[in-house]
Amino acid sequence: MGTENVLRNLQLVDGRIVDITIQDGIITAITPPGQAEGENVLDCSGLYASSGWIDLHVHAVQDLDPYGDNIDEIGVKQGVTTLVDAGSCGADRIGAFYTARLQAATQVFALLNISRIGLERTDELSQLEWIDRAKVLKAVAAYPDFIVGLKARISESVVKDSGIQPLKLARTLSEETKLPLMVHIGSAPPAISDVLELLQSGDVITHYLNGKSNNLFHPDGTPLQELLDAAARGVHLDVGHGTASFSFRIAEQAKAAGIALNTISTDIYRGNRMNGPVYSMSNVLTKFLYLGYSLEEVIRAVTRSPAEWLGKPELGKIRVGQKANLTLFSLEAGEKQLEDSEGDVRVTQHYIEVKGVFANGSLTTG
Ligand code: ZN
Ligand code: ZN
């Protein structure tokens, strides 16, 4: 019989306070506060718990530069128990990444870059011969439980003279592999309307709150009709904050227009983790609290919502009988500056701080 851990007086984001009993890494009871008994009782009064956070857009390949980082630095150490690497690797490197991630405490999935070279260069879709159909199909067949979608970065500096053609090829590959697309948007060409019309239900637009001139909102702040149409047909909207892709101004326009908040992801890598403006998942989540979303809405965007997109709804729940996969955090009072990708600084009076995770059978506190 293994150790029985009791996390006492945890607050869930729906307001309930509970004791969670965990035996051999499995949740065995969720009971009213103060009632559970066990060998190791940890008083968690004042802490929140949610299912482990899921970051749908990161760059987790250690030796890629600039878009790379260490898996656990951007994973469990930041309260993120599951991350999705967003196309750092194409077919050339995905096997090495599949092996590397086995050393990490964080659970890792990958979106396969349709360019075989991935982010070895930052203009990975400028040469159409790098989109190698046979290599994509072979990689997807080799790692079916690891590759959860395809990634295509469709903006000027990536596609160069290839225009919309890489996205058309991505669409075909998506149909052949039955995998959704995550599409990075940014500066034109291609024009944003040409990008949106190729996206289908289950596909993801990442960087939807970017403030570049080719963004998803009119100058008067109203959303493009093509954005409303895409959302209505089930295209998923993902934040993908990154170095250059989150604007408070646009985020306020999105909220005012009632655009649904689907998933909050960081697009984190070494540079924007150490020097900002991303720093961490908790910092990005705090920006959405500042914008006026409730704690429940914000946490849903890193738990239930990405879990459902992944087709793994259990990852977004805390349930008896499931593997314990929890993020513990607090809501702290105090002034903190929040900077977006455009240098716009806002001041918040409360912020989210990660206190630890329970994953892989044990509690790690930060
Ligand atoms: Zn991007
Ligand atoms: Zn990215």
Side-chain angles (χ1 to χ4, degrees), residues 32-102:
Q35 294 190 359
E37 310 264 349
E39 295 155 69
N40 288 335
V41 178
L42 184 69
D43 183 20
C44 297
S45 300
L47 293 190
Y48 284 92
S50 66
S51 60
W53 294 350
I54 302 168
D55 194 338
L56 208 58
H57 182 163
V58 307
H59 294 284
V61 178
Q62 176 81 41
D63 49 359
L64 278 176
D65 191 62
Y67 302 131
D69 208 339
N70 174 273
I71 293 170
D72 289 334
E73 286 294 333
I74 58 177
V76 288
K77 289 187 186 172
Q78 303 217 341
V80 172
T81 58
T82 300
L83 56 78
V84 180
D85 182 274
S88 304
C89 302
D92 288 353
R93 226 180 226 271
I94 195 76
F97 183 46
Y98 179 85
T99 306
R101 72 92 169 75
L102 297 171

Side-chain angles (χ1 to χ4, degrees), residues 26 103 183 277 321 342 360:
I26 305 290
Q103 310 301 316
V183 173
E342 320 248 292
N360 310 308

Side-chain angles (χ1 to χ4, degrees), residues 57 59 151 153 155 183-185 206-207 240 245 267:
H57 182 163
H59 294 284
K151 176 82 189 286
R153 299 199 308 143
S155 59
V183 173
H184 140 129
I185 59 170
T206 191
H207 310 316
S245 301
D267 189 12

Side-chain angles (χ1 to χ4, degrees), residues 4-21:
E4 197 172 43
N5 291 283
V6 174
L7 305 178
R8 177 156 285 167
N9 297 326
L10 279 170
Q11 181 159 4
L12 306 180
V13 287
D14 63 9
R16 280 184 300 152
I17 297 178
V18 296
D19 292 351
I20 298 181
T21 307

Side-chain angles (χ1 to χ4, degrees), residues 166-238:
L167 185 55
K168 289 188 169 161
L169 293 169
R171 178 81 278 147
T172 307
L173 289 166
S174 164
E175 264 136 46
E176 284 192 86
T177 57
K178 310 256 187 299
L179 288 173
L181 294 178
M182 177 188 273
V183 173
H184 140 129
I185 59 170
S187 298
I192 192 65
S193 52
D194 295 341
V195 174
L196 289 180
E197 71 177 16
L198 284 165
L199 302 185
Q200 300 176 355
S201 178
D203 290 338
V204 180
I205 299 171
T206 191
H207 310 316
Y208 85 104
L209 299 176
N210 83 78
K212 296 168 186 174
S213 59
N214 194 36
N215 74 53
L216 292 165
F217 294 80
H218 293 293
D220 71 357
T222 57
L224 300 187
Q225 187 58 43
E226 293 94 327
L227 168 61
L228 298 174
D229 293 346
R233 67 177 181 268
V235 174
H236 181 108
L237 303 175
D238 177 62

